[in-house]
Amino acid sequence: MVSSGWCFLAAMIVAYGFANLLQSVAAARTTVHHTFDPGLLLRLAGHRTYLVGLGCQIGGFVLAFLARRDLPLFLVQASVAAGLGVTAILGVLVLKWRLPAAEVVLLALLFAGITALVLSARPAPSKQLGTAGSVALLAALGAIAVLGVFAVRLHGAPGSVALGSLAGLAFSSAAVAARPLASAPSAEAFLADPLLYLLIAHSIVGQLLLGLAMQRGSTTAAVAAMDAAGAVPAAIVGLLLLNDKIWPGREWLAAAGFLVTLAAVIGLTRYAEPQQHRSVAPRRDPAMVAAGRTG
């Protein structure tokens, strides 16, 4: 019988694929911001496409949260990157994207790496982080926000990759908080756990950084940078501190799968082209243009 964690994982990949596409469409139609302005999220919220995409991302977030209860972080975080493949397929079918050959090869490698991780991951409950872990996540939140203030000044592909990478670190920290939080014994313990509020704070900062990244270049590059930066820290913390497990004798498969996945997403930050900005018409919603001029 298939574990519920695997079902949650598969549904999460599809949800994130739709979320990436819809949010990138909305971000491309919004005035580009050159400051770390939370008002961007409010302006994007005025766009129905973004709201639908945000709904998909929230759905993916919930599914990932449920998957992390039993599945190791190195698998769940790397599988988030598989949403890129769904995004690319949807972009080709719906928005008539033309993927370069290098990007197609890298997406194929991505799926190969994820498959290896699925075969090597062993479900297991999480250990708790403790007070020191919560303090470390709080410090990480401040550091990511400060770096975001400087990264937002970058333009084009470098800005997209830098901001996407910071978004990945924020979402990775949220994942670290989510793994033990998913094992809370009761609703009261869940709501009283500081990890819940650190998870929310990291997710909001990550969402803002991702929106800024998508305004500056390729959707694939922004999301790939996010996934590459977010996969490694979560995998390390999960294996060292949170009881993440690998099936005995398959350590080599896990290592190979993780390296192939990481290489693929890093390659996508280099070779991905700005399909979204070519395929989205330059039309602006009047309300969003007015909002952008005041930002």
Side-chain angles (χ1 to χ4, degrees):
M1 182 177 179
V2 178
S3 167
S4 60
W6 299 109
C7 297
F8 292 139
L9 190 73
M12 176 205 75
I13 292 171
V14 175
Y16 275 131
F18 276 91
N20 293 337
L21 183 75
L22 294 170
Q23 291 184 48
S24 69
V25 169
R29 290 176 174 171
T30 308
T31 304
V32 176
H33 280 228
H34 301 294
T35 60
F36 192 64
D37 180 12
L40 172 62
L41 293 180
L42 295 177
R43 294 180 177 90
L44 287 171
H47 201 297
R48 283 177 294 181
T49 303
Y50 181 82
L51 291 177
V52 175
L54 182 60
C56 291
Q57 182 163 351
I58 292 172
F61 178 85
V62 172
L63 291 164
F65 181 85
L66 295 172
R68 291 185 190 108
R69 182 169 185 173
D70 298 313
L71 299 180
L73 284 180
F74 70 81
L75 171 62
V76 179
Q77 292 310 106
S79 295
V80 170
L84 275 172
V86 177
T87 302
I89 293 171
L90 291 171
V92 171
L93 296 177
V94 179
L95 299 178
K96 309 305 179 184
W97 286 358
R98 293 184 179 179
L99 301 182
E103 190 169 336
V104 173
V105 171
L106 289 168
L107 287 170
L109 287 175
L110 175 63
F111 281 113
I114 297 297
T115 300
L117 290 175
V118 167
L119 294 174
S120 62
R122 180 182 178 184
S126 173
K127 291 181 179 178
Q128 295 302 308
L129 268 178
T131 303
S134 297
V135 172
L137 288 174
L138 181 61
L141 178 65
I144 291 168
V146 170
L147 290 172
V149 171
F150 294 97
V152 78
R153 300 175 184 176
L154 299 174
H155 306 285
S160 184
V161 171
L163 290 163
S165 298
L166 289 173
L169 292 176
F171 287 128
S172 179
S173 298
V176 169
R179 174 91 161 103
L181 184 63
S183 300
S186 66
E188 292 78 9
F190 180 84
L191 294 173
D193 196 324
L195 289 176
L196 172 62
Y197 305 99
L198 285 167
L199 183 156
I200 293 171
H202 274 285
S203 297
I204 292 173
V205 170
Q207 190 66 30
L208 173 58
L209 289 164
L210 179 59
L212 291 165
M214 284 180 167
Q215 288 189 321
R216 284 161 171 73
S218 166
T219 298
T220 309
V223 178
M226 176 185 71
D227 293 336
V232 176
I236 293 173
V237 172
L239 289 169
L240 294 180
L241 302 177
L242 298 179
N243 198 41
D244 285 1
K245 298 291 186 181
I246 300 171
W247 288 110
R250 298 184 186 178
E251 292 83 1
W252 67 271
L253 185 61
F258 192 82
L259 289 175
V260 169
T261 300
L262 188 62
V265 293
I266 291 174
L268 286 168
T269 68
R270 169 64 179 84
Y271 290 104
E273 296 180 1
Q275 309 98 329
Q276 183 57 46
H277 294 268
R278 292 199 308 266
S279 59
V280 174
R283 176 180 59 82
R284 299 285 193 272
D285 291 344
M288 298 196 67
V289 173
R293 288 173 181 167
T294 62

